[in-house]
């Protein structure tokens, strides 16, 4: 049995038309060629799950507003807008949402024009964009804005695990000066605690 594998190896080399001096190397190359031609698998997170990619974060919103309720919305975009968002060229800082005629709209959000697309085919950077939400969610948001005088602000934009662009929006109430000071004080305390923990370890 010990001599069986060398004999089998030589028969396989002869079947492939390989000469004896170079048979081992050429046979190994022939066997490994399909594996080398196979493309590598996509990068996945631990456990095999796909990860999401953050496009933009509105840090001002959490500083200036008290977040009451959050929603995840899709957004209707054209092709050049999607390409610009993948490049991270989206600014949510001055954005807000409005409810009109049973639809929710994203206003005053800038998506830069795509760099390699001609001006005629490019999009308007600050245009109004329709948000994709359930009808009951739109009604609830509209009632909060009309009845309680609240504001709807975008918090973040990201591509989910299915590579669809999603927008996290929030029904929010503007903070008073005292609330803003309290937020700053709490943030400073958290930063100091993290610094002390880092120094301790």
């Amino acid at each position: 049995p010990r001599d069986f594998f060398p004999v089998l190896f030589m028969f396989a080399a002869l079947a492939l038309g390989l000469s004896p001096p170079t048979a081992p190397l050429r046979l190994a190359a022939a066997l490994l060629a399909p594996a080398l031609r196979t493309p590598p698998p996509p990068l996945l997170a631990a456990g095999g799950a796909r990860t999401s990619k953050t496009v933009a974060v509105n840090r001002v919103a959490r500083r200036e507003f008290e977040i009451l309720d959050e929603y995840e919305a899709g957004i209707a975009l054209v092709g050049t807008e999607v390409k610009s968002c993948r490049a991270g060229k989206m600014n949510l800082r001055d954005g807000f949402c409005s409810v009109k005629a049973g639809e929710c709209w994203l206003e005053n959000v800038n998506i830069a024009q795509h760099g390699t697309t001609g001006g005629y085919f490019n999009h308007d950077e600050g245009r109004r964009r329709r948000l994709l939400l359930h009808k009951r969610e739109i009604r609830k948001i509209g009632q909060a804005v009309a009845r309680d005088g609240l504001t709807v602000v975008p918090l973040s934009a990201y591509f989910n695990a299915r590579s669809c662009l999603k927008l996290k929006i929030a029904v929010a109430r503007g903070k008073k000066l005292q609330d803003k000071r309290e937020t700053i004080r709490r943030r400073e305390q958290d930063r100091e605690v993290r610094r002390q923990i880092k120094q301790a370890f």
Side-chain angles (χ1 to χ4, degrees):
R2 184 177 301 175
D3 299 332
F4 174 74
F5 291 102
V7 174
L8 181 62
F9 186 86
M10 292 304 299
F11 272 111
L14 293 174
L16 291 173
L18 304 177
S19 59
T22 60
L25 293 178
R26 295 180 64 185
L27 181 58
L31 294 175
L32 291 175
L36 294 175
R37 287 195 298 266
T38 304
L43 294 176
L44 301 175
R50 295 180 181 272
T51 57
S52 59
K53 175 187 176 183
T54 301
V55 175
V57 177
N58 187 0
R59 303 186 188 280
V60 176
R62 295 191 181 275
R63 185 170 67 243
E64 299 292 332
F65 295 93
E66 177 187 357
I67 306 303
L68 303 177
D69 204 0
E70 296 185 7
Y71 300 87
E72 183 184 65
I75 179 171
L77 299 175
V78 298
T80 53
E81 290 174 326
V82 176
K83 292 179 181 179
S84 293
C85 287
R86 290 192 183 280
K89 298 180 179 179
M90 185 181 196
N91 188 353
L92 302 175
R93 181 186 178 90
D94 299 320
F96 64 94
C97 302
S98 62
V99 178
K100 299 176 182 178
E103 297 288 352
C104 192
W105 299 89
L106 180 65
E107 314 263 6
N108 207 32
V109 166
N110 183 280
I111 300 178
Q113 292 189 346
H114 189 243
T116 59
T117 303
Y120 179 80
F121 298 100
N122 240 319
H123 59 272
D124 179 9
E125 294 183 346
R127 74 179 184 93
R128 185 174 69 167
R129 299 169 175 92
R130 187 166 68 92
L131 296 181
L132 309 177
L133 290 159
H134 294 292
K135 290 294 183 182
R136 64 179 180 275
E137 293 177 328
I138 296 176
R139 284 197 301 269
K140 187 176 179 181
I141 293 172
Q143 290 171 358
V145 172
R147 182 182 65 245
D148 302 326
L150 301 176
T151 304
V152 185
V153 293
L155 298 180
S156 62
Y158 53 92
F159 285 97
N160 65 7
R162 298 174 59 189
S163 295
C164 298
L165 184 65
K166 296 293 183 179
L167 191 74
K168 182 175 289 187
I169 63 175
V171 177
R173 179 187 292 113
K175 289 183 179 179
K176 298 179 181 180
L177 181 59
Q178 182 61 32
D179 296 332
K180 294 180 182 179
R181 289 174 177 171
E182 178 64 22
T183 300
I184 294 173
R185 186 183 65 82
R186 191 181 302 114
R187 186 169 62 243
E188 292 294 334
Q189 287 179 347
D190 293 341
R191 185 179 296 122
E192 180 64 21
V193 169
R194 287 196 299 269
R195 186 182 65 81
Q196 291 180 358
I197 293 175
K198 185 176 180 181
Q199 288 179 350
F201 292 97

